[in-house]
Amino acid sequence: MLEPLRQGLPPIDPAAVSSSATCALPARYEAVRGARKFTSRTLTRWDLDERFDDVALVVSELVTNALRHALPADAPRDQEPPVRLHLMRWTSRLVCAVRDPSEDGPVAGEAEDSAECGRGLFLVDSFSDGWGWHPLAGPLTGKVVWALFRLPPT
């Protein structure tokens, strides 16, 4: 079984940050399509079109997990979007991070299970170069689940 890293992002020199973009997502499954479009536009702007397939798959899984498992059943659907997608680019790395209101850590299902449910984090692990999560601190509640992609030298 996969074990996510329960810690912050891997050590990355903050001085090397070149770009970031954020998208608020409503508590509806249609938000996954919006997250993919946002990812496509952002990667195109950053000249990373060749990474779209892997990154979009991971973004889709992380957003779907947040919508499916991290929102309370009685959460109002018309308030501030509860899920946010953050894309951050460093010189040699790209990080996708999804913030949600739940403080419960992600749980990976069994990859051998024939059911579709529970395999999302296996896909995240397979298509990214690393992933993990950490609880939010300060006035914010919830957590961030992130996935890292190494970029080729330019």
Side-chain angles (χ1 to χ4, degrees), residues 40-83:
S40 175
R41 287 191 305 267
T42 302
L43 294 183
T44 296
R45 195 169 58 247
W46 293 346
D47 293 323
L48 295 174
D49 294 330
E50 72 280 357
R51 297 306 309 259
F52 175 74
D53 291 337
D54 291 349
V55 174
L57 176 87
V58 168
V59 163
S60 296
E61 294 299 334
L62 293 180
V63 171
T64 298
N65 282 349
L67 294 171
R68 183 175 289 153
H69 303 293
L71 300 180
D74 60 350
R77 303 293 183 188
D78 59 347
Q79 290 185 343
E80 180 180 337
V83 175

Side-chain angles (χ1 to χ4, degrees), residues 68-131:
R68 183 175 289 153
H69 303 293
L71 300 180
D74 60 350
R77 303 293 183 188
D78 59 347
Q79 290 185 343
E80 180 180 337
V83 175
R84 293 188 178 275
L85 168 63
H86 305 275
L87 300 175
M88 296 158 281
R89 180 181 182 191
W90 283 261
T91 305
S92 61
R93 300 173 192 209
L94 171 70
V95 172
C96 308
V98 175
R99 186 178 98 192
D100 67 56
S102 173
E103 294 179 356
D104 296 332
V107 178
E110 294 295 326
E112 298 82 26
D113 187 359
S114 61
E116 284 212 19
C117 188
R119 297 187 339 180
L121 292 175
F122 176 76
L123 293 172
V124 170
D125 188 62
S126 297
F127 284 86
S128 69
D129 292 305
W131 72 282

